Amino acid sequence: MNVIFTIFNDLLNVLFNISGDYGIAIILLTILVRTMLLPIAIKQRKSLKKQQELSKKVHQLKEKYNQNKEKLNEELQKLYMSNSSSILGCLPMILQIPVMYSLYKVFSTMAVEVGTKVIPWVSTLKISDPYFILPIAAALIQLLPNILSTLGILKNIGGGKLSLGNVIMIGAVSVLFLARAPIAVGIYFITTSLYSTVEQIGYSIYTNKKCIA
């Protein structure tokens, strides 16, 4: 992971030399990394969708053979064998963890004491947002796909719908975490949340069109 950290840190400095602003450099580096991980993220969404379909079939089999355990076990074995690739659906997510952790570490350990044009009301990227604008914005953006899904506006986002209570709880945890985090981390979370939102909406539109076709 140290190698990934060093690469990202060097890339951040290169992007700073190009943009002249560490806030913009953080945004550019986050977008670059997320774009590189996009094929893995799409594969993860497809695997998650297959897992959901598999769970639905398992539930149907349990209802159909609830009085015949031997037949149920036989049918479940056939189902799992024919969907062995779906069971490994968490693998793409695991592959992303070292990359995203290293990126987070780069931003959370920045040694520079400078501000950014992106967040003009702070003097340095190392302090937390005194007005809590970034934590609230990050939480709202992170929850936007789930809010749209709960309202029935967005479908097939690659995950199950969350209840309103869960949405509020996740938003509160995000705000509490980012309330004390450095501005650099806040910019990273907002950028990655925006990217994820666009990615999820794009995936939803694509899958809906595919179903209609």
PDB file of all heavy atoms in Angstrom, residues 49-87:
ATOM      1  N   LYS A  49     -26.348  -6.966  -8.666  1.00  0.00           N
ATOM      2  CA  LYS A  49     -27.676  -7.201  -9.245  1.00  0.00           C
ATOM      3  C   LYS A  49     -27.944  -8.707  -9.376  1.00  0.00           C
ATOM      4  O   LYS A  49     -29.048  -9.187  -9.089  1.00  0.00           O
ATOM      5  CB  LYS A  49     -27.779  -6.520 -10.613  1.00  0.00           C
ATOM      6  CG  LYS A  49     -29.174  -6.610 -11.244  1.00  0.00           C
ATOM      7  CD  LYS A  49     -29.244  -5.798 -12.515  1.00  0.00           C
ATOM      8  CE  LYS A  49     -30.596  -5.946 -13.197  1.00  0.00           C
ATOM      9  NZ  LYS A  49     -31.703  -5.471 -12.344  1.00  0.00           N
ATOM     10  N   LYS A  50     -26.922  -9.462  -9.807  1.00  0.00           N
ATOM     11  CA  LYS A  50     -27.065 -10.917  -9.923  1.00  0.00           C
ATOM     12  C   LYS A  50     -27.293 -11.556  -8.551  1.00  0.00           C
ATOM     13  O   LYS A  50     -28.059 -12.508  -8.419  1.00  0.00           O
ATOM     14  CB  LYS A  50     -25.819 -11.519 -10.589  1.00  0.00           C
ATOM     15  CG  LYS A  50     -25.704 -11.206 -12.076  1.00  0.00           C
ATOM     16  CD  LYS A  50     -24.455 -11.828 -12.662  1.00  0.00           C
ATOM     17  CE  LYS A  50     -24.337 -11.523 -14.157  1.00  0.00           C
ATOM     18  NZ  LYS A  50     -23.091 -12.106 -14.736  1.00  0.00           N
ATOM     19  N   GLN A  51     -26.611 -11.011  -7.523  1.00  0.00           N
ATOM     20  CA  GLN A  51     -26.789 -11.531  -6.178  1.00  0.00           C
ATOM     21  C   GLN A  51     -28.219 -11.306  -5.688  1.00  0.00           C
ATOM     22  O   GLN A  51     -28.798 -12.159  -5.015  1.00  0.00           O
ATOM     23  CB  GLN A  51     -25.802 -10.861  -5.218  1.00  0.00           C
ATOM     24  CG  GLN A  51     -24.388 -11.416  -5.324  1.00  0.00           C
ATOM     25  CD  GLN A  51     -23.460 -10.764  -4.327  1.00  0.00           C
ATOM     26  OE1 GLN A  51     -23.374  -9.548  -4.238  1.00  0.00           O
ATOM     27  NE2 GLN A  51     -22.755 -11.570  -3.562  1.00  0.00           N
ATOM     28  N   GLN A  52     -28.766 -10.146  -6.021  1.00  0.00           N
ATOM     29  CA  GLN A  52     -30.143  -9.847  -5.635  1.00  0.00           C
ATOM     30  C   GLN A  52     -31.120 -10.808  -6.320  1.00  0.00           C
ATOM     31  O   GLN A  52     -32.070 -11.287  -5.699  1.00  0.00           O
ATOM     32  CB  GLN A  52     -30.487  -8.400  -5.995  1.00  0.00           C
ATOM     33  CG  GLN A  52     -29.767  -7.379  -5.124  1.00  0.00           C
ATOM     34  CD  GLN A  52     -29.972  -5.960  -5.609  1.00  0.00           C
ATOM     35  OE1 GLN A  52     -30.357  -5.726  -6.748  1.00  0.00           O
ATOM     36  NE2 GLN A  52     -29.719  -5.006  -4.735  1.00  0.00           N
ATOM     37  N   GLU A  53     -30.866 -11.080  -7.603  1.00  0.00           N
ATOM     38  CA  GLU A  53     -31.715 -12.034  -8.330  1.00  0.00           C
ATOM     39  C   GLU A  53     -31.574 -13.437  -7.752  1.00  0.00           C
ATOM     40  O   GLU A  53     -32.553 -14.193  -7.659  1.00  0.00           O
ATOM     41  CB  GLU A  53     -31.335 -12.028  -9.819  1.00  0.00           C
ATOM     42  CG  GLU A  53     -31.669 -10.717 -10.532  1.00  0.00           C
ATOM     43  CD  GLU A  53     -31.103 -10.660 -11.939  1.00  0.00           C
ATOM     44  OE1 GLU A  53     -30.315 -11.578 -12.290  1.00  0.00           O
ATOM     45  OE2 GLU A  53     -31.406  -9.699 -12.671  1.00  0.00           O
ATOM     46  N   LEU A  54     -30.342 -13.792  -7.351  1.00  0.00           N
ATOM     47  CA  LEU A  54     -30.091 -15.101  -6.745  1.00  0.00           C
ATOM     48  C   LEU A  54     -30.843 -15.229  -5.422  1.00  0.00           C
ATOM     49  O   LEU A  54     -31.458 -16.273  -5.145  1.00  0.00           O
ATOM     50  CB  LEU A  54     -28.593 -15.293  -6.529  1.00  0.00           C
ATOM     51  CG  LEU A  54     -28.149 -16.614  -5.901  1.00  0.00           C
ATOM     52  CD1 LEU A  54     -28.534 -17.785  -6.795  1.00  0.00           C
ATOM     53  CD2 LEU A  54     -26.642 -16.603  -5.652  1.00  0.00           C
ATOM     54  N   SER A  55     -30.818 -14.185  -4.611  1.00  0.00           N
ATOM     55  CA  SER A  55     -31.525 -14.193  -3.322  1.00  0.00           C
ATOM     56  C   SER A  55     -33.028 -14.361  -3.523  1.00  0.00           C
ATOM     57  O   SER A  55     -33.694 -15.067  -2.753  1.00  0.00           O
ATOM     58  CB  SER A  55     -31.243 -12.896  -2.560  1.00  0.00           C
ATOM     59  OG  SER A  55     -29.884 -12.776  -2.250  1.00  0.00           O
ATOM     60  N   LYS A  56     -33.532 -13.714  -4.566  1.00  0.00           N
ATOM     61  CA  LYS A  56     -34.963 -13.823  -4.873  1.00  0.00           C
ATOM     62  C   LYS A  56     -35.325 -15.258  -5.260  1.00  0.00           C
ATOM     63  O   LYS A  56     -36.360 -15.796  -4.825  1.00  0.00           O
ATOM     64  CB  LYS A  56     -35.315 -12.863  -6.018  1.00  0.00           C
ATOM     65  CG  LYS A  56     -36.793 -12.759  -6.307  1.00  0.00           C
ATOM     66  CD  LYS A  56     -37.058 -11.733  -7.396  1.00  0.00           C
ATOM     67  CE  LYS A  56     -38.555 -11.655  -7.708  1.00  0.00           C
ATOM     68  NZ  LYS A  56     -38.823 -10.650  -8.774  1.00  0.00           N
ATOM     69  N   LYS A  57     -34.467 -15.903  -6.058  1.00  0.00           N
ATOM     70  CA  LYS A  57     -34.715 -17.286  -6.477  1.00  0.00           C
ATOM     71  C   LYS A  57     -34.637 -18.238  -5.279  1.00  0.00           C
ATOM     72  O   LYS A  57     -35.413 -19.198  -5.192  1.00  0.00           O
ATOM     73  CB  LYS A  57     -33.710 -17.708  -7.547  1.00  0.00           C
ATOM     74  CG  LYS A  57     -33.927 -17.018  -8.893  1.00  0.00           C
ATOM     75  CD  LYS A  57     -32.857 -17.418  -9.891  1.00  0.00           C
ATOM     76  CE  LYS A  57     -33.053 -16.713 -11.227  1.00  0.00           C
ATOM     77  NZ  LYS A  57     -31.963 -17.048 -12.199  1.00  0.00           N
ATOM     78  N   VAL A  58     -33.693 -17.978  -4.373  1.00  0.00           N
ATOM     79  CA  VAL A  58     -33.561 -18.808  -3.170  1.00  0.00           C
ATOM     80  C   VAL A  58     -34.835 -18.717  -2.325  1.00  0.00           C
ATOM     81  O   VAL A  58     -35.342 -19.732  -1.827  1.00  0.00           O
ATOM     82  CB  VAL A  58     -32.338 -18.366  -2.331  1.00  0.00           C
ATOM     83  CG1 VAL A  58     -32.349 -19.030  -0.957  1.00  0.00           C
ATOM     84  CG2 VAL A  58     -31.044 -18.711  -3.059  1.00  0.00           C
ATOM     85  N   HIS A  59     -35.335 -17.498  -2.174  1.00  0.00           N
ATOM     86  CA  HIS A  59     -36.566 -17.292  -1.417  1.00  0.00           C
ATOM     87  C   HIS A  59     -37.746 -18.040  -2.059  1.00  0.00           C
ATOM     88  O   HIS A  59     -38.561 -18.658  -1.343  1.00  0.00           O
ATOM     89  CB  HIS A  59     -36.870 -15.795  -1.330  1.00  0.00           C
ATOM     90  CG  HIS A  59     -38.116 -15.478  -0.565  1.00  0.00           C
ATOM     91  ND1 HIS A  59     -38.206 -15.631   0.806  1.00  0.00           N
ATOM     92  CD2 HIS A  59     -39.332 -15.011  -0.982  1.00  0.00           C
ATOM     93  CE1 HIS A  59     -39.420 -15.291   1.204  1.00  0.00           C
ATOM     94  NE2 HIS A  59     -40.121 -14.913   0.147  1.00  0.00           N
ATOM     95  N   GLN A  60     -37.810 -17.998  -3.380  1.00  0.00           N
ATOM     96  CA  GLN A  60     -38.894 -18.696  -4.089  1.00  0.00           C
ATOM     97  C   GLN A  60     -38.806 -20.208  -3.898  1.00  0.00           C
ATOM     98  O   GLN A  60     -39.824 -20.887  -3.719  1.00  0.00           O
ATOM     99  CB  GLN A  60     -38.844 -18.340  -5.578  1.00  0.00           C
ATOM    100  CG  GLN A  60     -39.238 -16.901  -5.885  1.00  0.00           C
ATOM    101  CD  GLN A  60     -38.986 -16.528  -7.336  1.00  0.00           C
ATOM    102  OE1 GLN A  60     -38.274 -17.221  -8.069  1.00  0.00           O
ATOM    103  NE2 GLN A  60     -39.563 -15.402  -7.762  1.00  0.00           N
ATOM    104  N   LEU A  61     -37.574 -20.733  -3.936  1.00  0.00           N
ATOM    105  CA  LEU A  61     -37.381 -22.176  -3.743  1.00  0.00           C
ATOM    106  C   LEU A  61     -37.762 -22.602  -2.323  1.00  0.00           C
ATOM    107  O   LEU A  61     -38.344 -23.677  -2.118  1.00  0.00           O
ATOM    108  CB  LEU A  61     -35.932 -22.556  -4.031  1.00  0.00           C
ATOM    109  CG  LEU A  61     -35.506 -22.572  -5.510  1.00  0.00           C
ATOM    110  CD1 LEU A  61     -34.010 -22.816  -5.624  1.00  0.00           C
ATOM    111  CD2 LEU A  61     -36.282 -23.642  -6.281  1.00  0.00           C
ATOM    112  N   LYS A  62     -37.419 -21.774  -1.352  1.00  0.00           N
ATOM    113  CA  LYS A  62     -37.749 -22.092   0.031  1.00  0.00           C
ATOM    114  C   LYS A  62     -39.265 -22.132   0.246  1.00  0.00           C
ATOM    115  O   LYS A  62     -39.773 -22.947   1.018  1.00  0.00           O
ATOM    116  CB  LYS A  62     -37.106 -21.079   0.973  1.00  0.00           C
ATOM    117  CG  LYS A  62     -35.604 -21.274   1.136  1.00  0.00           C
ATOM    118  CD  LYS A  62     -35.012 -20.269   2.099  1.00  0.00           C
ATOM    119  CE  LYS A  62     -33.524 -20.532   2.287  1.00  0.00           C
ATOM    120  NZ  LYS A  62     -32.905 -19.554   3.218  1.00  0.00           N
ATOM    121  N   GLU A  63     -39.953 -21.234  -0.438  1.00  0.00           N
ATOM    122  CA  GLU A  63     -41.411 -21.229  -0.341  1.00  0.00           C
ATOM    123  C   GLU A  63     -42.016 -22.438  -1.063  1.00  0.00           C
ATOM    124  O   GLU A  63     -42.984 -23.045  -0.577  1.00  0.00           O
ATOM    125  CB  GLU A  63     -41.977 -19.937  -0.942  1.00  0.00           C
ATOM    126  CG  GLU A  63     -41.778 -18.711  -0.064  1.00  0.00           C
ATOM    127  CD  GLU A  63     -42.514 -17.497  -0.599  1.00  0.00           C
ATOM    128  OE1 GLU A  63     -42.827 -17.483  -1.811  1.00  0.00           O
ATOM    129  OE2 GLU A  63     -42.781 -16.578   0.186  1.00  0.00           O
ATOM    130  N   LYS A  64     -41.432 -22.787  -2.203  1.00  0.00           N
ATOM    131  CA  LYS A  64     -41.967 -23.883  -3.015  1.00  0.00           C
ATOM    132  C   LYS A  64     -41.739 -25.244  -2.364  1.00  0.00           C
ATOM    133  O   LYS A  64     -42.616 -26.131  -2.408  1.00  0.00           O
ATOM    134  CB  LYS A  64     -41.313 -23.844  -4.408  1.00  0.00           C
ATOM    135  CG  LYS A  64     -41.873 -24.871  -5.377  1.00  0.00           C
ATOM    136  CD  LYS A  64     -41.233 -24.715  -6.753  1.00  0.00           C
ATOM    137  CE  LYS A  64     -41.790 -25.735  -7.739  1.00  0.00           C
ATOM    138  NZ  LYS A  64     -41.171 -25.576  -9.088  1.00  0.00           N
ATOM    139  N   TYR A  65     -40.556 -25.450  -1.737  1.00  0.00           N
ATOM    140  CA  TYR A  65     -40.213 -26.749  -1.168  1.00  0.00           C
ATOM    141  C   TYR A  65     -40.080 -26.685   0.362  1.00  0.00           C
ATOM    142  O   TYR A  65     -39.233 -27.367   0.950  1.00  0.00           O
ATOM    143  CB  TYR A  65     -38.898 -27.254  -1.772  1.00  0.00           C
ATOM    144  CG  TYR A  65     -38.931 -27.440  -3.269  1.00  0.00           C
ATOM    145  CD1 TYR A  65     -38.256 -26.562  -4.108  1.00  0.00           C
ATOM    146  CD2 TYR A  65     -39.636 -28.491  -3.851  1.00  0.00           C
ATOM    147  CE1 TYR A  65     -38.283 -26.721  -5.492  1.00  0.00           C
ATOM    148  CE2 TYR A  65     -39.677 -28.666  -5.225  1.00  0.00           C
ATOM    149  CZ  TYR A  65     -38.996 -27.776  -6.042  1.00  0.00           C
ATOM    150  OH  TYR A  65     -39.026 -27.941  -7.418  1.00  0.00           O
ATOM    151  N   ASN A  66     -40.890 -25.868   0.986  1.00  0.00           N
ATOM    152  CA  ASN A  66     -40.781 -25.723   2.446  1.00  0.00           C
ATOM    153  C   ASN A  66     -41.155 -27.006   3.198  1.00  0.00           C
ATOM    154  O   ASN A  66     -40.806 -27.175   4.365  1.00  0.00           O
ATOM    155  CB  ASN A  66     -41.652 -24.560   2.934  1.00  0.00           C
ATOM    156  CG  ASN A  66     -43.131 -24.791   2.659  1.00  0.00           C
ATOM    157  OD1 ASN A  66     -43.491 -25.534   1.758  1.00  0.00           O
ATOM    158  ND2 ASN A  66     -43.981 -24.146   3.440  1.00  0.00           N
ATOM    159  N   GLN A  67     -41.844 -27.920   2.519  1.00  0.00           N
ATOM    160  CA  GLN A  67     -42.226 -29.181   3.148  1.00  0.00           C
ATOM    161  C   GLN A  67     -41.334 -30.349   2.712  1.00  0.00           C
ATOM    162  O   GLN A  67     -41.544 -31.482   3.136  1.00  0.00           O
ATOM    163  CB  GLN A  67     -43.687 -29.516   2.801  1.00  0.00           C
ATOM    164  CG  GLN A  67     -44.706 -28.478   3.242  1.00  0.00           C
ATOM    165  CD  GLN A  67     -44.755 -28.308   4.743  1.00  0.00           C
ATOM    166  OE1 GLN A  67     -44.528 -29.255   5.493  1.00  0.00           O
ATOM    167  NE2 GLN A  67     -45.042 -27.097   5.198  1.00  0.00           N
ATOM    168  N   ASN A  68     -40.355 -30.047   1.849  1.00  0.00           N
ATOM    169  CA  ASN A  68     -39.480 -31.100   1.324  1.00  0.00           C
ATOM    170  C   ASN A  68     -38.029 -30.612   1.362  1.00  0.00           C
ATOM    171  O   ASN A  68     -37.506 -30.058   0.394  1.00  0.00           O
ATOM    172  CB  ASN A  68     -39.897 -31.459  -0.100  1.00  0.00           C
ATOM    173  CG  ASN A  68     -39.201 -32.707  -0.618  1.00  0.00           C
ATOM    174  OD1 ASN A  68     -38.154 -33.107  -0.103  1.00  0.00           O
ATOM    175  ND2 ASN A  68     -39.766 -33.315  -1.643  1.00  0.00           N
ATOM    176  N   LYS A  69     -37.376 -30.837   2.500  1.00  0.00           N
ATOM    177  CA  LYS A  69     -36.023 -30.313   2.687  1.00  0.00           C
ATOM    178  C   LYS A  69     -35.005 -30.963   1.750  1.00  0.00           C
ATOM    179  O   LYS A  69     -34.052 -30.315   1.307  1.00  0.00           O
ATOM    180  CB  LYS A  69     -35.589 -30.528   4.136  1.00  0.00           C
ATOM    181  CG  LYS A  69     -36.315 -29.625   5.119  1.00  0.00           C
ATOM    182  CD  LYS A  69     -35.725 -29.750   6.511  1.00  0.00           C
ATOM    183  CE  LYS A  69     -36.405 -28.788   7.471  1.00  0.00           C
ATOM    184  NZ  LYS A  69     -35.836 -28.880   8.828  1.00  0.00           N
ATOM    185  N   GLU A  70     -35.201 -32.236   1.471  1.00  0.00           N
ATOM    186  CA  GLU A  70     -34.274 -32.940   0.579  1.00  0.00           C
ATOM    187  C   GLU A  70     -34.314 -32.340  -0.822  1.00  0.00           C
ATOM    188  O   GLU A  70     -33.275 -32.084  -1.431  1.00  0.00           O
ATOM    189  CB  GLU A  70     -34.645 -34.428   0.519  1.00  0.00           C
ATOM    190  CG  GLU A  70     -33.646 -35.253  -0.282  1.00  0.00           C
ATOM    191  CD  GLU A  70     -33.973 -36.732  -0.266  1.00  0.00           C
ATOM    192  OE1 GLU A  70     -34.740 -37.181   0.608  1.00  0.00           O
ATOM    193  OE2 GLU A  70     -33.457 -37.445  -1.150  1.00  0.00           O
ATOM    194  N   LYS A  71     -35.515 -32.097  -1.331  1.00  0.00           N
ATOM    195  CA  LYS A  71     -35.667 -31.489  -2.648  1.00  0.00           C
ATOM    196  C   LYS A  71     -35.163 -30.055  -2.643  1.00  0.00           C
ATOM    197  O   LYS A  71     -34.539 -29.592  -3.614  1.00  0.00           O
ATOM    198  CB  LYS A  71     -37.151 -31.516  -3.056  1.00  0.00           C
ATOM    199  CG  LYS A  71     -37.440 -30.956  -4.445  1.00  0.00           C
ATOM    200  CD  LYS A  71     -36.801 -31.783  -5.542  1.00  0.00           C
ATOM    201  CE  LYS A  71     -37.200 -31.276  -6.921  1.00  0.00           C
ATOM    202  NZ  LYS A  71     -36.525 -32.017  -8.001  1.00  0.00           N
ATOM    203  N   LEU A  72     -35.406 -29.354  -1.533  1.00  0.00           N
ATOM    204  CA  LEU A  72     -34.937 -27.966  -1.412  1.00  0.00           C
ATOM    205  C   LEU A  72     -33.421 -27.900  -1.493  1.00  0.00           C
ATOM    206  O   LEU A  72     -32.856 -27.076  -2.230  1.00  0.00           O
ATOM    207  CB  LEU A  72     -35.424 -27.368  -0.092  1.00  0.00           C
ATOM    208  CG  LEU A  72     -34.907 -25.959   0.250  1.00  0.00           C
ATOM    209  CD1 LEU A  72     -35.348 -24.957  -0.814  1.00  0.00           C
ATOM    210  CD2 LEU A  72     -35.388 -25.525   1.628  1.00  0.00           C
ATOM    211  N   ASN A  73     -32.732 -28.756  -0.749  1.00  0.00           N
ATOM    212  CA  ASN A  73     -31.268 -28.776  -0.762  1.00  0.00           C
ATOM    213  C   ASN A  73     -30.732 -29.113  -2.153  1.00  0.00           C
ATOM    214  O   ASN A  73     -29.722 -28.553  -2.600  1.00  0.00           O
ATOM    215  CB  ASN A  73     -30.744 -29.788   0.252  1.00  0.00           C
ATOM    216  CG  ASN A  73     -30.988 -29.344   1.678  1.00  0.00           C
ATOM    217  OD1 ASN A  73     -31.057 -28.145   1.941  1.00  0.00           O
ATOM    218  ND2 ASN A  73     -31.133 -30.291   2.582  1.00  0.00           N
ATOM    219  N   GLU A  74     -31.414 -30.008  -2.834  1.00  0.00           N
ATOM    220  CA  GLU A  74     -31.008 -30.400  -4.186  1.00  0.00           C
ATOM    221  C   GLU A  74     -31.120 -29.224  -5.158  1.00  0.00           C
ATOM    222  O   GLU A  74     -30.207 -28.955  -5.947  1.00  0.00           O
ATOM    223  CB  GLU A  74     -31.888 -31.563  -4.665  1.00  0.00           C
ATOM    224  CG  GLU A  74     -31.514 -32.098  -6.041  1.00  0.00           C
ATOM    225  CD  GLU A  74     -32.447 -33.198  -6.512  1.00  0.00           C
ATOM    226  OE1 GLU A  74     -33.048 -33.889  -5.657  1.00  0.00           O
ATOM    227  OE2 GLU A  74     -32.575 -33.367  -7.745  1.00  0.00           O
ATOM    228  N   GLU A  75     -32.249 -28.514  -5.073  1.00  0.00           N
ATOM    229  CA  GLU A  75     -32.480 -27.371  -5.967  1.00  0.00           C
ATOM    230  C   GLU A  75     -31.549 -26.205  -5.637  1.00  0.00           C
ATOM    231  O   GLU A  75     -31.062 -25.515  -6.535  1.00  0.00           O
ATOM    232  CB  GLU A  75     -33.938 -26.914  -5.873  1.00  0.00           C
ATOM    233  CG  GLU A  75     -34.947 -27.894  -6.438  1.00  0.00           C
ATOM    234  CD  GLU A  75     -34.755 -28.131  -7.919  1.00  0.00           C
ATOM    235  OE1 GLU A  75     -34.409 -27.174  -8.649  1.00  0.00           O
ATOM    236  OE2 GLU A  75     -34.943 -29.283  -8.369  1.00  0.00           O
ATOM    237  N   LEU A  76     -31.286 -26.003  -4.350  1.00  0.00           N
ATOM    238  CA  LEU A  76     -30.377 -24.924  -3.946  1.00  0.00           C
ATOM    239  C   LEU A  76     -28.959 -25.195  -4.426  1.00  0.00           C
ATOM    240  O   LEU A  76     -28.246 -24.283  -4.859  1.00  0.00           O
ATOM    241  CB  LEU A  76     -30.387 -24.767  -2.419  1.00  0.00           C
ATOM    242  CG  LEU A  76     -31.621 -24.110  -1.798  1.00  0.00           C
ATOM    243  CD1 LEU A  76     -31.532 -24.129  -0.282  1.00  0.00           C
ATOM    244  CD2 LEU A  76     -31.799 -22.684  -2.308  1.00  0.00           C
ATOM    245  N   GLN A  77     -28.541 -26.447  -4.350  1.00  0.00           N
ATOM    246  CA  GLN A  77     -27.207 -26.826  -4.832  1.00  0.00           C
ATOM    247  C   GLN A  77     -27.070 -26.560  -6.327  1.00  0.00           C
ATOM    248  O   GLN A  77     -26.050 -26.028  -6.776  1.00  0.00           O
ATOM    249  CB  GLN A  77     -26.950 -28.300  -4.523  1.00  0.00           C
ATOM    250  CG  GLN A  77     -25.509 -28.727  -4.814  1.00  0.00           C
ATOM    251  CD  GLN A  77     -25.252 -30.159  -4.395  1.00  0.00           C
ATOM    252  OE1 GLN A  77     -26.141 -30.871  -3.963  1.00  0.00           O
ATOM    253  NE2 GLN A  77     -24.009 -30.603  -4.538  1.00  0.00           N
ATOM    254  N   LYS A  78     -28.100 -26.912  -7.077  1.00  0.00           N
ATOM    255  CA  LYS A  78     -28.085 -26.640  -8.517  1.00  0.00           C
ATOM    256  C   LYS A  78     -28.014 -25.143  -8.794  1.00  0.00           C
ATOM    257  O   LYS A  78     -27.281 -24.691  -9.682  1.00  0.00           O
ATOM    258  CB  LYS A  78     -29.343 -27.217  -9.169  1.00  0.00           C
ATOM    259  CG  LYS A  78     -29.393 -28.731  -9.236  1.00  0.00           C
ATOM    260  CD  LYS A  78     -30.695 -29.185  -9.879  1.00  0.00           C
ATOM    261  CE  LYS A  78     -30.820 -30.699  -9.901  1.00  0.00           C
ATOM    262  NZ  LYS A  78     -32.120 -31.127 -10.485  1.00  0.00           N
ATOM    263  N   LEU A  79     -28.791 -24.386  -8.026  1.00  0.00           N
ATOM    264  CA  LEU A  79     -28.848 -22.931  -8.221  1.00  0.00           C
ATOM    265  C   LEU A  79     -27.501 -22.283  -7.929  1.00  0.00           C
ATOM    266  O   LEU A  79     -27.021 -21.448  -8.698  1.00  0.00           O
ATOM    267  CB  LEU A  79     -29.927 -22.337  -7.312  1.00  0.00           C
ATOM    268  CG  LEU A  79     -30.156 -20.825  -7.424  1.00  0.00           C
ATOM    269  CD1 LEU A  79     -30.654 -20.459  -8.819  1.00  0.00           C
ATOM    270  CD2 LEU A  79     -31.150 -20.360  -6.374  1.00  0.00           C
ATOM    271  N   TYR A  80     -26.864 -22.675  -6.825  1.00  0.00           N
ATOM    272  CA  TYR A  80     -25.571 -22.089  -6.449  1.00  0.00           C
ATOM    273  C   TYR A  80     -24.473 -22.474  -7.441  1.00  0.00           C
ATOM    274  O   TYR A  80     -23.581 -21.668  -7.733  1.00  0.00           O
ATOM    275  CB  TYR A  80     -25.176 -22.514  -5.034  1.00  0.00           C
ATOM    276  CG  TYR A  80     -25.992 -21.857  -3.953  1.00  0.00           C
ATOM    277  CD1 TYR A  80     -26.531 -22.605  -2.898  1.00  0.00           C
ATOM    278  CD2 TYR A  80     -26.226 -20.481  -3.964  1.00  0.00           C
ATOM    279  CE1 TYR A  80     -27.281 -21.996  -1.902  1.00  0.00           C
ATOM    280  CE2 TYR A  80     -26.974 -19.876  -2.972  1.00  0.00           C
ATOM    281  CZ  TYR A  80     -27.499 -20.633  -1.945  1.00  0.00           C
ATOM    282  OH  TYR A  80     -28.237 -20.030  -0.963  1.00  0.00           O
ATOM    283  N   MET A  81     -24.528 -23.698  -7.938  1.00  0.00           N
ATOM    284  CA  MET A  81     -23.521 -24.145  -8.904  1.00  0.00           C
ATOM    285  C   MET A  81     -23.639 -23.373 -10.223  1.00  0.00           C
ATOM    286  O   MET A  81     -22.636 -23.061 -10.862  1.00  0.00           O
ATOM    287  CB  MET A  81     -23.667 -25.646  -9.161  1.00  0.00           C
ATOM    288  CG  MET A  81     -23.194 -26.521  -8.014  1.00  0.00           C
ATOM    289  SD  MET A  81     -23.343 -28.288  -8.353  1.00  0.00           S
ATOM    290  CE  MET A  81     -22.172 -28.491  -9.686  1.00  0.00           C
ATOM    291  N   SER A  82     -24.867 -23.067 -10.616  1.00  0.00           N
ATOM    292  CA  SER A  82     -25.074 -22.333 -11.875  1.00  0.00           C
ATOM    293  C   SER A  82     -24.840 -20.838 -11.720  1.00  0.00           C
ATOM    294  O   SER A  82     -24.760 -20.113 -12.702  1.00  0.00           O
ATOM    295  CB  SER A  82     -26.492 -22.566 -12.391  1.00  0.00           C
ATOM    296  OG  SER A  82     -27.456 -22.091 -11.484  1.00  0.00           O
ATOM    297  N   ASN A  83     -24.700 -20.367 -10.466  1.00  0.00           N
ATOM    298  CA  ASN A  83     -24.472 -18.938 -10.223  1.00  0.00           C
ATOM    299  C   ASN A  83     -23.227 -18.726  -9.360  1.00  0.00           C
ATOM    300  O   ASN A  83     -23.183 -17.817  -8.537  1.00  0.00           O
ATOM    301  CB  ASN A  83     -25.685 -18.317  -9.519  1.00  0.00           C
ATOM    302  CG  ASN A  83     -26.905 -18.240 -10.414  1.00  0.00           C
ATOM    303  OD1 ASN A  83     -27.109 -17.299 -11.163  1.00  0.00           O
ATOM    304  ND2 ASN A  83     -27.743 -19.278 -10.331  1.00  0.00           N
ATOM    305  N   SER A  84     -22.227 -19.568  -9.562  1.00  0.00           N
ATOM    306  CA  SER A  84     -21.011 -19.481  -8.738  1.00  0.00           C
ATOM    307  C   SER A  84     -20.300 -18.149  -8.882  1.00  0.00           C
ATOM    308  O   SER A  84     -19.719 -17.630  -7.937  1.00  0.00           O
ATOM    309  CB  SER A  84     -20.055 -20.621  -9.104  1.00  0.00           C
ATOM    310  OG  SER A  84     -19.739 -20.579 -10.496  1.00  0.00           O
ATOM    311  N   SER A  85     -20.377 -17.542 -10.067  1.00  0.00           N
ATOM    312  CA  SER A  85     -19.710 -16.254 -10.287  1.00  0.00           C
ATOM    313  C   SER A  85     -20.377 -15.140  -9.499  1.00  0.00           C
ATOM    314  O   SER A  85     -19.730 -14.172  -9.083  1.00  0.00           O
ATOM    315  CB  SER A  85     -19.703 -15.901 -11.776  1.00  0.00           C
ATOM    316  OG  SER A  85     -21.013 -15.812 -12.276  1.00  0.00           O
ATOM    317  N   SER A  86     -21.687 -15.249  -9.252  1.00  0.00           N
ATOM    318  CA  SER A  86     -22.418 -14.229  -8.516  1.00  0.00           C
ATOM    319  C   SER A  86     -22.018 -14.201  -7.050  1.00  0.00           C
ATOM    320  O   SER A  86     -22.057 -13.161  -6.404  1.00  0.00           O
ATOM    321  CB  SER A  86     -23.926 -14.478  -8.624  1.00  0.00           C
ATOM    322  OG  SER A  86     -24.341 -14.426  -9.974  1.00  0.00           O
ATOM    323  N   ILE A  87     -21.632 -15.364  -6.516  1.00  0.00           N
ATOM    324  CA  ILE A  87     -21.254 -15.453  -5.108  1.00  0.00           C
ATOM    325  C   ILE A  87     -19.975 -14.662  -4.844  1.00  0.00           C
ATOM    326  O   ILE A  87     -19.723 -14.204  -3.738  1.00  0.00           O
ATOM    327  CB  ILE A  87     -21.069 -16.931  -4.700  1.00  0.00           C
ATOM    328  CG1 ILE A  87     -22.391 -17.686  -4.929  1.00  0.00           C
ATOM    329  CG2 ILE A  87     -20.625 -17.065  -3.249  1.00  0.00           C
ATOM    330  CD1 ILE A  87     -22.299 -19.179  -4.744  1.00  0.00           C
TER     331      ILE A  87
END
